[in-house]
Amino acid sequence: MRPTSETEDLLRLHAPQVLGALVRRYGHFDIAEDAVQDALLAAAGQWPSAGLPDNPRGWLIRVASRRLTDALRAEEARRAREERAAALSVRETAVADRAPRADDTLSLLFLCCHPQLAPAAQIALTLRAVGGLTTAEIARAYLMPEATMAQRISRAKQKVRGVSFGRPENWEERLPAVLHTLYLIFNEGHTATSGPALQRRDLAGEAIRLTRTVHRLLPDDCEIAGLLALMLLTDARRDARTGPSGDLVPLDEQDRARWDKAAIEEGVALVTRALARRHAGPYQIRAAIAAVHDEAPSADETDWREILGLYDVLVRLVPGPVERLNRAVAVAMVHGPDAGLAELDALTDELGHRLDAVRGHLLERAGAYEQARAAYESAAAKTLSLPEQRYLRGRAARLRP
């Protein structure tokens, strides 16, 4: 029987807490993570028909503890250390009754975003260990064979094997890696890099859920608040970003009545409080830009001068190619398309199809239709996203003589 949405929500809520309780007690992150996944699968199979237990988290901890101790006994039997295995039977009862600490979720995030792991491995391990997603779900989200994703997760677990569990001493230095990982997960959900769908809402929703958790654990960190605000303000437009057939609808053509007003209000409140408390960081600035877009009654009423001023601040903090590309659009909206095109000349092809797409848009605004058509066609050839391909080819087709 397929688990209900209530059961799935409970499992994802408790997954990091259960894993944290086991790792904090036993260590052995890789074996503990497998045991928790077994417990989650058992719950998904039993709870819909048998009903939810009185203490779902305690149930998961007990089942996972038994799976973990069984695995450790088997491993230790092979090594002929039966004394150690006998002692584990006492510890099983202790961990099942011990309440997980709220900080365990944050500790797991720090572990999953360990500096030794590549960003792709950090994302996969975070979704598996902290998000509670199965390997198959993560593989589907990233359009990757399950066996390949399983190998990536397995290698990541091996790399963090033996790393002490808990918040690291230099945790403030590691926090940007955690936020960046959550940001990458959200971006892939908001605009998929490949495949038939423009958005992968499950990934975007999971990123928002995990960021809410981090914000709840560290409520005084303004950049966490800024990241959560950015996600909410961006995700608020998701229903208007595609047409009935799944085609991409650009921001200036979206039906703003379909935007999520509650998410916009929450995001604006978050970023307003964050900006008032300290020197603004990159996520707060990005959220402020999103807020200006979301609060504009129409595309024509967007305050592009304010957006350009915010991008001026952002590129001083993060002079990356994406930030400079977005600033070029703001320059064009304030000073005209020729000024924006001049900004593009300083950018490189590392932006992939995005650079050609923006160039085509600005050339079209400047009346250089033949050049714009070529830029759109070049962008369409470079992207792996089918909705983006259709949109860009449609723009090019409109400009054919």
Side-chain angles (χ1 to χ4, degrees), residues 212 215 219-223 225-226 228-229 232 265-280 284 287:
R212 280 193 188 280
H215 177 57
D220 296 328
D221 190 288
C222 295
E223 271 293 78
L228 179 57
L232 291 170
E265 290 177 3
E266 183 184 359
V268 169
L270 275 168
V271 71
T272 300
R273 287 196 299 269
L275 288 171
R277 290 171 58 186
R278 55 163 288 177
H279 179 69
Q284 296 167 69

Side-chain angles (χ1 to χ4, degrees), residues 1-5 7-8 11 40-51:
M1 179 181 294
R2 174 175 167 76
T4 63
S5 59
T7 300
E8 290 177 340
L11 294 178
L40 294 174
L41 290 173
Q46 296 179 32
W47 291 2
S49 56

